[in-house]
Amino acid sequence: MTAATITARRAFKSVPLERAPRRPQTPVAFSFRNVGKKFGDKTVLEGIDLEVREGQFLAVIGKSGCGKSTLLRLLAGLDRPTSGQLAHDAGKTDHSRTRIMFQEPRLLPWARVVDNVAVGLTGIAKGRQARDRSLEILREVGLADRAGEWPSVLSGGQKQRVALARALVGQPLILALDEPLGALDALTRIEMQQLLERIWLSQKFTAVLVTHDVAEAVALADRVVVIDEGRIVLDLDIPLPRPRRHGTSELARLEGLILDRLFNGEAR
Amino acid sequence: MRKTLANIGHESAGWILPAVILVVWELASRAGLIATNVLPAPSAVAEAFWRLLKSGELLENIWVSTARALSGFVVGGAIGFALGLANGLSALSRGLTDTTLQMIRNIPHLALIPLVILWFGIDEEAKLFLVALGVFFPIYVNTLLGIQTVDPQLVEMGRIYGMSRTQLFLRVILPGALPAIFVGLRYALGIMWLTLIVAETISASSGLGYMAMQAREFLLIDVVVLSILIYALLGKLADSLARLLERLSLQWHPAFQRA
């Protein structure tokens, strides 16, 4: 199943799996040019230059308070940069096709699971059509049989899967994920990572995952960016074939590289 | 089957104690332990009930009192709800009116009775005004509180998904405020009856309170006790209706889900 989707993806993109991700002909999904953000006197981000191509899976790593969540909020249009420029889709400043998924599921407790997913279709589809599309995406995340339940009876992992379905049902071009797996237990996390990878491979959106889990970043991403004190201090391609298995020596080597950079930053 | 029986047993358990009290009371009256001019036997109260029911007096008075209670409730509740919404949603409106309302809230509304009699006499307006004022504050305070405590993360989520202001209000803010609004509603229903009883006892020419006061003049203690019992039943009825409404509209709330 996974192998089949990978082949399909390869045919679609006509690039080898071990591709160098930044091929010039792939259009840019979004770019940050010298972006800075201040809250009052406090500089949170400074001189961020980042160009991400369509369909890329980018992971952003950093210690708490390094500005990685702010980066995501800028991308989703929840905040505006204090300086510099942020461009979407070669110039369009339309945030409507960017979805953000938070650490908390943020489901409406008074709406049934399927209606919570349909919130993702606000202004896109209504009524019967919205319901059908919601049910379809629920099937994709493996929760079709829970469509009529209240969110309060679901487990943490299931709630986060509903939130993922809600983010995806409107077929976003960019999916921004703000530590969406941070509150889950270790086994549910791995399950969710696999689900996320499978859906990303089949839907081909651009994914930006903010995380503090280095193993998660190298397992999922094409490219890892490390932020420290508001600046990008490392930009690393992860040209490994998928599906990746946890605990291989190559993943461990990259993980070590990133951790070194993170803790060198602290020593300075 | 056994489960439904158990359910019925569970729901009727609350009525065992009142029934026991009634039986003991009746027996004590018949044995002469309670003087009839202090407290009439339940059978005497039942007789009074039957007598007044046949004459039509009872239903007439219950109807008059209920109509007063409900119209006062609708007026006061609607204004309280509207102001609660306005002040919960708009900082400008809150800044302008909240301080004033909080000051008025600290006056016990029954303290206004002398003033209300001077303004309106003992006509219907006086009772309507008092009930409306009494009901206003619990509804206002709890609606405001409910809206202010809606999870801001959910509101942000609604905005991100492009909800319009109306959609945000109907799908996120109002349902989020509903549990608190129901608390206010049930509290207001209690205040509604309390205010009405006091107002009718002091000044009225019809209604349950009037019936009780008339009976006192003629030393008809069975009718006095009957009026009190009917107040208790009406209060319980109103509360049960509110609970039913609450259960129907808050099905999503874990507190209202059956295991």
Side-chain angles (χ1 to χ4, degrees):
Chain A
M1 161 90 194
T2 323
T5 41
I6 288 171
T7 329
R9 181 178 161 74
R10 187 187 298 180
F12 177 79
K13 289 255 175 180
S14 71
V15 287
L17 260 181
E18 301 77 4
R19 69 201 154 111
R22 271 171 286 178
R23 306 234 326 178
Q25 64 264 43
T26 324
V28 175
F30 66 88
S31 62
F32 284 68
R33 286 204 191 89
N34 199 24
V35 166
K37 176 71 185 172
K38 288 182 180 180
F39 290 107
D41 290 339
K42 196 176 181 305
T43 304
V44 182
L45 289 175
E46 204 180 351
I48 298 287
D49 276 306
L50 186 65
E51 193 174 85
V52 175
R53 305 229 159 238
E54 274 182 17
Q56 192 171 51
F57 200 129
L58 174 76
V60 180
I61 300 186
K63 286 174 285 193
S64 318
C66 71
K68 56 192 193 303
S69 291
T70 306
L71 185 93
L72 214 60
R73 293 179 67 87
L74 291 178
L75 173 64
L78 293 175
D79 281 324
R80 287 178 182 286
T82 327
S83 58
Q85 267 196 333
L86 169 54
H88 280 252
D89 298 341
K92 272 183 268 168
T93 49
D94 177 21
H95 297 293
S96 64
R97 297 299 298 277
T98 304
R99 290 296 192 219
I100 187 164
M101 196 178 153
F102 298 95
Q103 180 162 7
E104 327 79 38
R106 302 198 186 186
L107 303 179
L108 299 173
W110 42 84
R112 302 205 183 251
V113 165
V114 62
D115 298 320
N116 261 297
V117 176
V119 167
L121 289 169
T122 307
I124 300 173
K126 270 185 174 179
R128 172 116 213 166
Q129 204 202 346
R131 202 185 158 78
D132 289 347
R133 281 177 69 176
S134 305
L135 284 172
E136 196 180 317
I137 195 87
L138 272 173
R139 208 166 299 131
E140 194 117 2
V141 299
L143 285 175
D145 54 330
R146 311 303 295 269
E149 309 252 26
W150 300 113
S152 60
V153 303
L154 301 183
S155 71
Q158 289 170 330
K159 283 181 192 164
Q160 213 46 312
R161 265 145 75 190
V162 176
L164 178 65
R166 179 181 63 193
L168 292 174
V169 72
Q171 293 174 325
L173 299 174
I174 300 172
L175 179 62
L177 303 127
D178 191 359
E179 299 185 34
L181 315 182
L184 304 177
D185 65 85
L187 296 178
T188 314
R189 261 180 105 103
I190 293 176
E191 238 172 53
M192 278 293 283
Q193 287 168 7
Q194 289 165 349
L195 176 71
L196 197 58
E197 184 178 44
R198 182 165 59 73
I199 291 180
W200 170 71
L201 285 170
S202 69
Q203 295 212 358
K204 303 175 183 74
F205 50 84
T206 310
V208 183
L209 171 70
V210 161
T211 180
H212 52 244
D213 182 341
V214 181
E216 180 170 291
V218 294
L220 284 173
D222 295 324
R223 177 181 172 195
V224 173
V225 162
V226 176
I227 295 189
D228 193 37
E229 288 174 0
R231 291 176 168 279
I232 294 179
V233 293
L234 180 68
D235 188 341
L236 187 71
D237 285 332
I238 314 281
L240 299 179
R242 295 171 190 275
R244 297 171 184 165
R245 285 191 49 211
H246 278 268
T248 62
S249 60
E250 186 57 17
L251 283 183
R253 191 184 65 80
L254 289 166
E255 223 175 287
L257 205 70
I258 294 165
L259 282 169
D260 277 350
R261 192 64 198 84
L262 269 169
F263 288 100
N264 281 346
E266 192 184 49
R268 265 191 309 172
Chain B
M1 183 69 196
R2 186 178 294 170
K3 210 169 184 181
T4 44
L5 277 179
N7 259 346
I8 292 166
H10 185 73
E11 274 158 26
S12 55
W15 293 100
I16 294 174
L17 191 59
V20 169
I21 290 174
L22 272 181
V23 171
V24 172
W25 175 9
E26 177 75 37
L27 291 176
S29 293
R30 295 207 173 182
L33 292 174
I34 305 174
T36 46
N37 60 353
V38 174
L39 201 60
S43 55
V45 177
E47 266 170 50
F49 169 75
W50 185 243
R51 197 175 65 236
L52 292 174
L53 189 67
K54 269 204 301 194
S55 72
E57 212 178 317
L58 184 65
L59 286 182
E60 170 71 20
N61 282 325
I62 289 181
W63 166 244
V64 167
S65 289
T66 308
R68 275 177 191 151
L70 289 183
S71 47
F73 181 84
V74 168
V75 172
I79 300 174
F81 184 62
L83 268 173
L85 287 187
N87 288 2
L89 297 171
S90 146
L92 176 70
S93 167
R94 187 166 62 249
L96 281 175
T97 59
D98 194 52
T99 310
T100 313
L101 289 172
Q102 297 300 339
M103 282 199 293
I104 300 174
R105 188 166 76 93
N106 285 306
I107 306 169
H109 65 294
L110 294 177
L112 294 180
I113 286 178
L115 194 59
V116 168
I117 291 177
L118 284 176
W119 284 347
F120 301 107
I122 60 165
D123 287 339
E124 290 306 302
E125 293 93 333
K127 281 152 224 125
L128 187 92
F129 179 83
L130 280 172
V131 173
L133 191 65
V135 161
F136 170 84
F137 285 105
I139 301 261
Y140 166 72
V141 169
N142 285 288
T143 305
L144 179 60
L145 181 79
I147 288 184
Q148 285 177 332
T149 51
V150 169
D151 187 352
Q153 293 191 333
L154 287 182
V155 176
E156 189 186 54
M157 184 281 296
R159 289 224 177 89
I160 294 169
Y161 281 101
M163 286 188 190
S164 65
R165 288 171 74 94
T166 322
Q167 282 174 320
L168 204 59
F169 174 72
L170 291 177
R171 298 184 64 180
V172 182
I173 295 171
L174 189 62
L178 215 51
I181 294 174
F182 269 111
V183 171
L185 178 77
R186 287 181 56 195
Y187 195 72
L189 285 174
I191 296 219
M192 172 183 87
W193 288 117
L194 174 86
T195 312
L196 190 72
I197 294 165
V198 174
E200 283 187 341
T201 315
I202 289 169
S203 60
S205 52
S206 60
L208 283 169
Y210 169 77
M211 189 175 90
M213 288 317 281
Q214 284 292 102
R216 183 193 56 112
E217 302 255 316
F218 299 107
L219 293 175
L220 294 169
I221 196 161
D222 49 352
V223 177
V224 175
V225 173
L226 177 68
S227 315
I228 294 170
L229 283 179
I230 288 175
Y231 271 132
L233 281 176
L234 287 177
K236 171 76 186 154
L237 188 69
D239 192 58
S240 301
L241 276 175
R243 272 169 177 269
L244 180 72
L245 215 62
E246 187 176 46
R247 224 177 21 245
L248 289 178
S249 48
L250 299 184
Q251 281 175 38
W252 53 270
H253 203 286
F256 295 95
Q257 278 162 9
R258 295 200 176 166

